[in-house]
Amino acid sequence: MPVAIRSAALNDVPAILAIEHRAPGAAHWTSEQYNKLVGSGVVLVAEETGKLCGFVCARAVAGEWEIENVVVAVGFLRRGIADEMVRELIRRAESEAASAILLEVRESNLPARGLYEKHGFREVGCRRVYYRDPVEDAILYALRFDR
Ligand SMILES: CC(C)(COP(=O)(O)OP(=O)(O)OC[C@H]1O[C@@H](n2cnc3c(N)ncnc32)[C@H](O)[C@@H]1OP(=O)(O)O)[C@@H](O)C(=O)NCCC(=O)NCCS
């Protein structure tokens, strides 16, 4: 069944939270934070036959976009859904003349790092002891658009 990628609406936030709560590697946010991002940032969702199966959210600050979270629901993993969402996010950032997309990720999160590297993100730094529970370094990635 094909997966559709579209912008999120406020009434998608409960399903976004449900997916996020079941993903241990994801950043954990409140519904207020997601509501705000749906209003002022970029939140894309993946939908299959009316069921939300993933989301990616980003914030634009002075021409630089920052990916805040990318999550695919358990049961939908390894089907190219994150690939499609990240590809669409990059397309939108380019079409809105962003200069770069930035993000940070746990050093041990190899699925996410593989995803970003596949889409051309390059490692640009490290923040030591950035995460808690468990304590871990953050690896910083950037995808820069040449203009
Ligand atoms: C990271 C995540 C979003 C990937 O979602 P997905 O839909 O399964 O990924 P895709 O099937 O689109 O795979 C795209 C690429 O990601 C990488 N990847 C995905 N899962 C992987 C795994 N288990 N091991 C290694 N690489 C993996 C690969 O490079 C893959 O490309 P390939 O299929 O050509 O090898 C998913 O694992 C997830 O939701 N993780 C928990 C939340 C999280 O940690 N988010 C990141 C926060 S920064």
Side-chain angles (χ1 to χ4, degrees):
M1 197 54 69
V3 168
I5 311 295
R6 63 168 172 82
S7 295
L10 280 178
N11 62 7
D12 291 317
V13 170
I16 286 173
L17 275 171
I19 292 171
E20 190 234 72
H21 285 162
R22 286 187 214 111
H28 295 296
W29 284 22
T30 64
S31 57
E32 289 71 29
Q33 288 172 308
Y34 281 115
N35 285 340
K36 207 168 156 193
L37 212 53
V38 167
S40 65
V42 180
V43 185
L44 304 179
V45 291
E47 196 171 44
E48 187 179 75
T49 56
K51 186 177 164 49
L52 234 67
C53 50
F55 69 92
V56 56
C57 53
R59 196 164 26 191
V61 181
E64 286 188 335
W65 286 33
E66 179 161 344
I67 294 183
E68 307 289 353
N69 224 350
V70 187
V71 188
V72 169
V74 177
F76 291 84
L77 294 167
R78 303 270 21 204
R79 286 177 39 189
I81 293 173
D83 247 358
E84 284 195 42
M85 294 193 298
V86 169
R87 195 172 297 119
E88 176 62 15
L89 188 84
I90 292 170
R91 197 192 63 72
R92 291 197 188 195
E94 274 195 289
S95 75
E96 292 187 27
S99 57
I101 305 179
L102 312 175
L103 62 92
E104 61 224 12
V105 60
R106 280 184 180 270
E107 187 175 24
S108 65
N109 193 341
L110 299 183
R113 293 180 64 178
L115 169 70
Y116 300 133
E117 286 170 15
K118 183 177 174 182
H119 287 274
F121 286 78
R122 298 282 168 259
E123 226 180 290
V124 291
C126 171
R127 285 202 183 107
R128 298 263 169 235
V129 197
Y130 182 73
Y131 293 105
R132 302 264 171 268
D133 299 322
V135 167
E136 194 171 351
D137 295 348
I139 305 299
L140 311 183
Y141 280 93
L143 175 65
R144 301 203 179 277
F145 301 112
D146 294 327
R147 295 189 192 287

